[in-house]
Structures are given as structure tokens and as C-alpha cells.
Amino acid sequence: MQKAYDQVLFYFFAVGVVFFAVGVVFFAAAVGDDLYGTQAPMIFEQDGLKDYCCMAVPDALTAFASVLSDETGANMVIVEQGANAKLEPKMADRLEEKIKNCSMLLLQCE
């Protein structure tokens, strides 16, 4: 459950930086070649993220998590890592210039 919570928190931290105008945000994400992956840029822009890179991973789903709760309130999180599980170092190489020029770097390394 902590992993899914961390992923959501990571995204909202980036959006919060934009909203409170405390810094410039570049957001990078691996997405699948599915509906969610094609909608990701629109969602990023609606949330105020203007500078981003969506790395589409062929034959992969966009990652997601579902939280199930039982009658006692106990939660169970089901995570599909999707495109994130297929990230390779060469994909990160595309981001080298952005990383070199940033004043702050926040990574989610799961």
C-alpha cells in the first residue's frame, strides 16, 4: 500500500510546486501505449504541468493501482507496474539535458 501512496504523493508534490509557484517543474513519466498513456499529456496540462516528457513504452500498460477495502476498513492495494517495469537506462538518457539544468531533482525509485 505504501508504494501506491508514494506514487500518488509524488505526482501531487509536482503539481503542488506548480500551484504554489515555488519552482519550475519538469515531469517525466513512462506510459503504456493504451488509452491512459495517450491521455496523460492532457491530464498533465490540466494539472498545470507544462514541461513534461511522456515516454511511451510499446506493448505495455500504463501503471495503475487500485485500493480495495473490506467491511472492517482494512485496505489492500493492487499495483500494475506496467510501463514503469520496462524502463531502461537508455530511456533516462533522453532526460540528461533537463536533469543537468535543474536546480532540484526529485526521484521516485521503486
Side-chain angles (χ1 to χ4, degrees):
M1 184 161 100
Q2 185 65 40
K3 181 177 181 175
Y5 175 78
D6 290 346
Q7 290 172 339
V8 171
L9 187 62
F10 183 78
Y11 179 75
F12 285 114
F13 177 80
V15 172
V17 169
V18 171
F19 181 78
F20 292 109
V22 294
V24 176
V25 173
F26 170 71
F27 191 81
V31 297
D33 60 356
D34 55 9
L35 179 62
Y36 297 113
T38 59
Q39 290 178 339
M42 178 184 67
I43 293 167
F44 294 165
E45 290 183 20
Q46 286 175 348
D47 288 343
L49 298 171
K50 301 297 181 200
D51 193 8
Y52 57 83
C53 174
C54 285
M55 295 177 280
V57 179
D59 302 319
L61 298 173
T62 301
F64 68 89
S66 296
V67 180
L68 304 175
S69 298
D70 66 16
E71 61 278 350
T72 68
N75 292 336
M76 178 176 56
V77 181
I78 300 170
V79 177
E80 166 56 55
Q81 291 183 337
N84 293 324
K86 296 183 178 188
L87 282 174
E88 297 178 3
K90 66 182 177 182
M91 296 171 79
D93 291 345
R94 294 176 41 193
L95 309 173
E96 185 175 357
E97 282 303 310
K98 290 286 189 179
I99 292 170
K100 283 194 316 190
N101 295 318
C102 70
S103 58
M104 177 176 46
L105 181 63
L106 175 64
L107 300 171
Q108 180 179 354
C109 301
E110 296 186 59

